[in-house]
Amino acid sequence: MNAYVYGYGPEGKERLIVVDLGVTFPDMDTSPGVDVIMADTAWLEANAKRIEAIFITHAHEDHIGALAHLWPKLKKTVYARKFTARIGALKLEEAGLPTDALKVVEPRPKLIEAGPFKVQFVPLSHSIPESSALIIDTPAGRIVHTGDFKLDGAPIVGEPFDPLVWHEIAHEGAGVKVLTCDSTNVFTPQPGRSESTLAEPLKELIAGRKGMVVATTFASNVARLKTLAEAGRAAGRSVCLMGRAMRRMVSAAEETGVLTGFPGTVSPEDAADIPRENLMLIVTGSQGERRAATAQLSRGKYLGISMKEGDSFLFSSRTIPGNERDVIRIMNAFSEMGVDVIDDRGGLYHVSGHANRPDLEAVHDLLRPKMLIPMHGEHRHLREHAKIGSEKGIASEIATNGTMLDLTGTVPKVVEYIETGRTYLDGNVLIGALDGVVRDRIRMALNGHVLITVIIDEDDLPLGEAWVELMGLPERGRSGASLAQLIEDELSGFLEHAPDKVIANDDKMDEAPRRAARQVAMEEIGKKPEVTVVVSRLLAD
């Protein structure tokens, strides 16, 4: 959920620019039912009048995914390159928002002036078209914000990394003062490999398979989709793209001219009639997403097509940490069907879109920044990257979420911590991570729920018995009796002996039945469930 802010000016009155508005994804353990998670922008909203513009480095969800949710809170001009802007426009249109705030910009030497900032987009290779670093020139010096990148001279789709351009950037004016740099693969000791190295291994793999071949990768990796589709066609197979996100990415890439020569594909309806040995599917869901095509195929059928014994399923992707359980579950489901599951085999069928440790060191040497601010990684990645910089004599600082750094001196200094957090998209509503909604959901999931209904008549006397409904709890406890009946019996005793002043008091009529229900449940099933007490009072005419 990338969201960075740069400011320049008198303290407390700095003019600001925002770089990226991304999302991260929930998990069932900490955020069940949540759709996506994004940064809490309360500080930005409070300082919205100081924001000059928003810049989006590329179209991956962790950099652009929150645009439609957070732009209405900020309402500033958004600058992006053509492909990225197209993806952003689709998100805004889906949300029913205007797209006129989106401005398509050309790369360097095109300059965007935003208050005291002069910003250039510089093409970089990554696992999505038109990924760009930002050159941010300020009166206090030059900042290079890399965004996500790798050193790839032949990325299949998109622009290659051009060291000559970066040599120019490093030697213009006073050079680079601050490098804010991708840290994702800082622990990978080998130099990164080019996307182009995958073509032959993928062709050989697919040509040697007998049944239907299905491959999954990141939907946004347009270069990989093209390589897979070409490998399928070379093996004499019809190729079908399955998954809305994948089709949208290919369509956007073709519309904006960054993708050409993509092999012809067939529709899912036509694919169902093609002999299995002549068919290849390229599908979404490489991270085990439950609603994506991969997961649905593992559960039986998707758009009329099912996996069978003798088919092959290729994961041309890396499993993002945290998604292993979902991916392995899918792999085992395919295995039980008799499907051959093939993973990336140590890089044979997948290469990363991020710079590895030697590549990061090469960028340090190329740009020779005076300061290094590691970004885009877990804390251990940031710490390791800062250590590399420090060993090279580069003043380095770790900036965790909410950290404000002063970059005007000779070393970065932490000067303030902004209160920050997470915002959840829950259905179609934005809620705060600390609002209690998800917390209560987790409690109900862990402990179950008891609903107690009591009716009080016009004379403040119980009308009939209390009744109980259970949800997410066993019907019977260790005594063998009905749990609901045991709770109702306990409540009957309470209502029979409760003083009039208790029956007349809503607070006491909420607390006492709740306590009684949880006590019975604890004795019978060893749990204290969440309890809702509904007291209906009849009014006299």
Side-chain angles (χ1 to χ4, degrees), residues 343-386:
D343 61 20
D344 71 350
R345 297 285 164 88
L348 189 58
Y349 307 123
H350 173 68
V351 294
S352 174
H354 295 272
N356 293 350
R357 187 188 191 104
D359 309 320
L360 294 173
E361 293 185 5
V363 170
H364 297 170
D365 294 339
L366 181 61
L367 296 181
R368 298 186 178 279
K370 296 176 179 62
M371 304 182 205
L372 171 67
I373 311 300
M375 68 169 176
H376 207 278
E378 299 168 8
H379 192 279
R380 63 192 184 96
H381 297 85
L382 306 183
R383 186 166 179 263
E384 183 68 15
H385 197 173

Side-chain angles (χ1 to χ4, degrees), residues 257-309:
V258 300
L259 175 63
T260 58
F262 195 88
T265 60
V266 298
S267 68
E269 293 77 16
D270 291 339
D273 297 326
I274 295 173
R276 306 183 75 76
E277 63 274 12
N278 297 331
L279 180 63
M280 178 177 177
L281 310 180
I282 306 176
V283 302
T284 55
S286 66
Q287 300 306 302
E289 301 95 321
R290 181 168 178 78
R291 290 179 288 185
T294 294
Q296 296 204 48
L297 284 169
S298 77
R299 294 195 293 269
K301 186 176 287 189
Y302 181 64
L303 297 180
I305 297 178
S306 57
M307 303 293 291
K308 293 184 179 179
E309 186 172 357

Side-chain angles (χ1 to χ4, degrees), residues 45-120:
E45 293 166 42
N47 292 281
K49 291 182 179 179
R50 292 161 52 193
I51 300 173
E52 297 285 352
I54 300 167
F55 295 84
I56 306 295
T57 59
H58 63 286
H60 274 148
E61 287 296 296
D62 59 330
H63 293 259
I64 197 175
L67 180 63
H69 307 299
L70 299 181
W71 181 84
K73 298 173 178 286
L74 306 177
K75 293 188 176 177
K76 300 297 176 179
T77 301
V78 180
Y79 293 100
R81 296 186 63 197
K82 187 185 295 184
F83 174 77
T84 304
R86 178 63 184 142
I87 298 299
L90 291 171
K91 292 181 177 296
L92 292 171
E93 288 168 359
E94 284 182 355
L97 296 170
T99 61
D100 53 358
L102 271 171
K103 304 298 180 186
V104 175
V105 296
E106 296 298 320
R108 174 184 165 91
K110 175 66 177 178
L111 200 68
I112 302 106
E113 295 197 21
F117 303 95
K118 295 178 180 179
V119 183
Q120 301 172 67

Side-chain angles (χ1 to χ4, degrees), residues 131-435:
S131 189
S132 298
L134 299 179
I135 307 302
I136 306 170
D137 286 315
T138 77
R142 168 167 284 188
I143 300 166
V144 173
H145 183 104
T146 67
D148 295 359
F149 77 101
K150 65 182 294 187
L151 306 187
D152 192 340
I156 306 295
V157 174
E159 299 111 330
F161 182 88
D162 188 343
L164 293 178
V165 170
W166 288 98
H167 184 269
E168 290 175 6
I169 290 167
H171 289 83
E172 288 174 348
V176 175
K177 181 163 189 175
V178 181
L179 173 62
T180 309
C181 190
D182 184 358
S183 308
T184 310
N185 283 358
V186 70
F187 288 109
T188 305
Q190 305 85 8
R193 293 168 50 232
S194 172
E195 182 70 29
S196 60
T197 63
L198 300 181
E200 288 306 313
L202 287 170
K203 283 182 181 178
E204 291 176 11
L205 172 69
I206 294 167
R209 294 284 144 172
K210 299 195 179 300
M212 182 172 69
V213 174
V214 184
T216 185
T217 189
F218 297 99
S220 58
N221 194 339
V222 176
R224 186 72 49 80
L225 299 180
K226 184 178 182 182
T227 301
L228 286 167
E230 288 175 342
R233 294 294 292 166
R237 294 174 180 267
S238 297
V239 175
C240 176
L241 298 180
M242 283 187 160
R244 176 171 169 267
M246 189 171 287
R247 294 194 302 273
R248 182 165 73 170
M249 281 289 175
V250 170
S251 176
E254 290 179 330
E255 289 173 11
T256 54
V258 300
L259 175 63
T260 58
F262 195 88
T265 60
V266 298
S267 68
E269 293 77 16
D270 291 339
D273 297 326
I274 295 173
R276 306 183 75 76
E277 63 274 12
N278 297 331
L279 180 63
M280 178 177 177
L281 310 180
I282 306 176
V283 302
T284 55
S286 66
Q287 300 306 302
E289 301 95 321
R290 181 168 178 78
R291 290 179 288 185
T294 294
Q296 296 204 48
L297 284 169
S298 77
R299 294 195 293 269
K301 186 176 287 189
Y302 181 64
L303 297 180
I305 297 178
S306 57
M307 303 293 291
K308 293 184 179 179
E309 186 172 357
D311 290 342
S312 300
F313 196 101
L314 167 66
F315 284 84
S316 182
S317 56
R318 179 181 72 95
T319 303
I320 295 172
N323 295 338
E324 296 92 346
R325 185 169 56 184
D326 293 332
V327 172
I328 290 172
R329 184 185 298 118
I330 287 171
M331 288 181 171
N332 282 320
F334 283 141
S335 182
E336 290 172 6
M337 297 177 188
V339 173
D340 293 330
V341 178
I342 306 150
D343 61 20
D344 71 350
R345 297 285 164 88
L348 189 58
Y349 307 123
H350 173 68
V351 294
S352 174
H354 295 272
N356 293 350
R357 187 188 191 104
D359 309 320
L360 294 173
E361 293 185 5
V363 170
H364 297 170
D365 294 339
L366 181 61
L367 296 181
R368 298 186 178 279
K370 296 176 179 62
M371 304 182 205
L372 171 67
I373 311 300
M375 68 169 176
H376 207 278
E378 299 168 8
H379 192 279
R380 63 192 184 96
H381 297 85
L382 306 183
R383 186 166 179 263
E384 183 68 15
H385 197 173
K387 190 184 301 182
I388 294 171
S390 297
E391 289 172 354
K392 286 177 173 285
I394 305 171
S396 304
E397 184 62 72
I398 299 169
T400 54
N401 292 343
T403 305
M404 182 186 290
L405 297 175
D406 180 355
L407 305 175
T408 56
T410 57
V411 297
K413 293 182 179 178
V414 177
V415 292
E416 191 175 346
Y417 289 97
I418 303 301
E419 187 173 340
T420 185
R422 297 183 168 208
T423 298
Y424 294 157
L425 178 65
D426 193 47
N428 56 12
V429 177
L430 294 178
I431 60 173
L434 301 179
D435 287 357

Side-chain angles (χ1 to χ4, degrees), residues 24-60:
T24 188
F25 295 95
D27 60 72
M28 286 302 293
D29 292 334
T30 63
S31 45
V34 170
D35 294 273
V36 294
I37 305 171
M38 63 206 77
D40 178 357
T41 55
W43 185 87
L44 276 177
E45 293 166 42
N47 292 281
K49 291 182 179 179
R50 292 161 52 193
I51 300 173
E52 297 285 352
I54 300 167
F55 295 84
I56 306 295
T57 59
H58 63 286
H60 274 148

